[in-house]
């Protein structure tokens, strides 16, 4: 049986619903009990009064009982993102189709972002900006600047945009999402429902969440309240470093019920670096379709436990075929990194540069075998 995705990060026919785009003030397609990508309405905003300086000792909420120091430190690096586009009369707004350009009814949307370079580079979600005819950014001090898209990556729902300012902007720092543990404090900052400069707090609820939005996902689950408009905004650890990019929520109502999902910073950093350099992301290609190794399949293959990714198909002309991978092989290690579950393999392959030769350990007929694979550049999907 073939997997619903392959080891190179493609899942055919996947669609995700959005609460990102609005016509006037009416929310489009608010689903019930659905995972939502969110960018809220663009509404009139008033700037909050300037906060009084807070002592650095107040940064760690577990010690001080307050998030005030942390908020004061990071809020200048968080921005509101506003878009204007057009929607045809029969168009349904969703993550894959989006509104058609030109003609139709004007739509407005809003999301969040954060500055990673004083020169004006800003990270946000792809679904926030992908349908924009016009794009602008509002800084924490109220300054509004036109923005342009540098590059987008739909597979990870990340985008890099840029503004020009007359002075260096305040940037925030990337953190290490691999170090985030369940139960750690996390603080989200963003633009929910167009209400900019909004701070919420909670904890990391879970790691490695797979919500079937794409095979490269590895979400941090957080319970800091995030809502439509928080998309693209940062989640900070207690040291004020970005460990996640808020992207989706699970909700029966369209609003926060304490189940939010953030793209890990360690996944985002490499994607954003490529968007900055190339405007797009280049990923490695192995060329196999895989499926989860269940206990029953593991037993049938003569394995002691269900560990690894089962090769369901080897694609023609692929690096896997040239290296001698077979249908029925169980991949347990890729480039020296363990493959504990099938979902581990697509990320490992995607992060490998084309032209790299890597060892791939497989179990075949109960015997371990190591193959040398020349990773190629992932082909672009064929548009129908």
């Amino acid at each position: 049986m073939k997997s619903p995705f392959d080891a190179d990060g493609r899942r055919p026919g996947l669609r995700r619903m959005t609460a990102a785009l609005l016509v006037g003030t009416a929310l489009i397609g608010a689903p019930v009990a659905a995972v939502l990508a969110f960018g809220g309405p663009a509404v009139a905003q008033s700037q909050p009064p300037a906060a009084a300086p807070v002592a650095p000792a107040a940064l760690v909420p577990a010690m001080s009982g307050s998030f005030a120091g942390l908020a004061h430190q990071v809020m200048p690096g968080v921005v509101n993102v506003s878009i204007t586009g057009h929607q045809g009369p029969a168009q349904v707004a969703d993550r894959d189709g989006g509104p058609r350009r030109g003609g139709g009814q004007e739509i407005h949307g809003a999301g969040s972002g954060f500055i990673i370079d004083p020169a004006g580079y800003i990270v946000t979600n792809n679904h926030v900006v992908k349908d924009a005819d016009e794009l602008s950014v509002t800084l924490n001090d109220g300054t509004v600047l036109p923005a342009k898209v540098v590059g987008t990556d739909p597979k990870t729902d990340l985008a890099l945009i840029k503004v020009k300012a007359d002075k260096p902007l305040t940037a925030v720092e990337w953190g290490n999402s691999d170090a985030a543990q369940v139960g750690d404090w996390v603080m989200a900052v963003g633009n929910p429902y167009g209400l900019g400069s909004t701070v919420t707090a909670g904890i990391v609820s879970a790691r490695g969440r797979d919500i079937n939005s794409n095979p490269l996902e590895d979400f941090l689950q957080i319970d800091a309240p995030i809502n439509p408009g928080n998309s693209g905004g940062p989640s900070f650890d207690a040291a004020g470093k970005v460990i996640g990019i808020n992207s989706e929520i699970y909700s029966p109502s369209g609003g926060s019920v304490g189940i939010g999902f953030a793209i890990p910073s360690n996944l985002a950093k490499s994607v954003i670096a490529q968007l900055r350099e190339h405007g797009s992301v280049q990923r490695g290609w192995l060329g196999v379709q895989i499926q989860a190794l269940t206990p029953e399949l593991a037993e049938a293959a003569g394995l002691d436990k269900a560990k690894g990714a089962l090769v369901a198909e080897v694609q023609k002309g692929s690096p896997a075929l040239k290296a001698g991978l077979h249908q029925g092989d169980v991949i347990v290690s890729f480039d020296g990194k363990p493959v504990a579950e099938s979902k581990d393999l697509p990320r490992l392959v995607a992060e490998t540069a084309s032209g790299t030769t890597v060892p791939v350990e497989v179990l075949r007929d109960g015997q371990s075998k190591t193959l040398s694979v020349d990773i190629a550049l992932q082909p672009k999907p064929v548009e129908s």
Side-chain angles (χ1 to χ4, degrees), residues 10 39 98 122 127 225 231 263 278 292 358:
R10 295 187 292 266
I122 296 168
H127 76 260
S231 271
I263 303 163
H278 306 294
V358 300

Side-chain angles (χ1 to χ4, degrees), residues 24-336:
T25 57
L27 192 63
I28 296 175
V32 177
V35 175
L36 308 176
F38 40 88
V43 301
Q45 300 179 39
S46 59
Q47 292 301 315
V54 180
L59 290 182
V60 183
M63 296 177 62
S64 69
S66 173
F67 287 87
L70 181 58
H72 179 75
Q73 173 190 344
V74 302
M75 284 179 67
V78 182
V79 304
N80 303 337
V81 180
S82 300
I83 71 129
T84 301
H86 289 81
Q87 179 171 321
Q91 179 66 30
V92 176
D94 61 38
R95 283 286 297 276
D96 293 312
R100 295 189 179 95
R101 302 289 180 90
Q105 191 169 6
E106 186 173 90
I107 58 174
H108 301 274
S112 306
F114 56 97
I115 303 165
I116 59 167
D117 188 311
Y121 287 94
I122 296 168
V123 175
T124 186
N125 279 146
N126 171 66
H127 76 260
V128 170
V129 303
K130 75 182 183 75
D131 296 311
D133 295 330
E134 296 180 5
L135 185 65
S136 65
V137 162
T138 303
L139 304 181
N140 183 249
D141 64 3
T143 303
V144 180
L145 299 171
K148 66 176 183 178
V149 175
V150 176
T152 63
D153 182 42
K155 283 190 175 180
T156 55
D157 193 26
L158 290 167
L160 183 66
I161 62 177
K162 191 176 187 301
V163 298
K164 289 185 178 180
D166 57 6
K167 61 181 180 180
L169 302 180
T170 301
V172 294
E173 294 183 39
W174 289 111
N176 179 9
S177 56
D178 288 346
Q181 301 181 58
V182 173
D184 280 352
W185 283 112
V186 64
M187 189 182 80
V189 184
N191 184 29
Y193 297 109
L195 302 170
S197 302
T198 297
V199 176
T200 58
I203 62 170
V204 176
S205 302
R207 295 180 51 91
R209 284 299 196 212
D210 182 348
I211 57 175
N212 295 318
S213 57
N214 74 75
L216 300 182
E217 67 190 22
D218 186 30
F219 287 111
L220 296 175
Q221 181 182 328
I222 63 173
D223 72 352
I226 51 178
N227 286 285
N230 275 109
S231 271
S235 281
F236 294 98
D237 63 15
K241 296 185 178 181
V242 178
I243 58 168
I245 299 91
N246 303 321
S247 181
E248 307 197 30
I249 59 174
Y250 185 87
S251 173
S253 63
S256 173
V257 294
I259 304 177
F261 302 99
I263 303 163
S265 60
N266 286 8
L267 171 63
K269 280 186 281 190
S270 61
V271 171
I272 295 302
Q274 288 199 57
L275 292 180
R276 183 168 179 173
E277 184 175 356
H278 306 294
S280 62
V281 178
Q282 298 179 340
R283 293 188 167 92
W285 181 48
L286 178 60
V288 297
Q289 286 200 332
I290 57 174
Q291 68 183 81
L293 189 65
T294 64
E296 293 78 15
L297 289 172
E299 183 179 0
L303 305 178
D304 295 334
K305 55 184 176 180
K307 179 182 178 181
L310 179 62
V311 176
E313 180 181 330
V314 180
Q315 298 170 359
K316 293 181 179 179
S318 67
L321 183 65
K322 295 174 183 177
L325 267 78
H326 295 172
Q327 182 181 25
D329 284 348
V330 177
I331 299 176
V332 295
S333 174
F334 180 89
D335 196 19

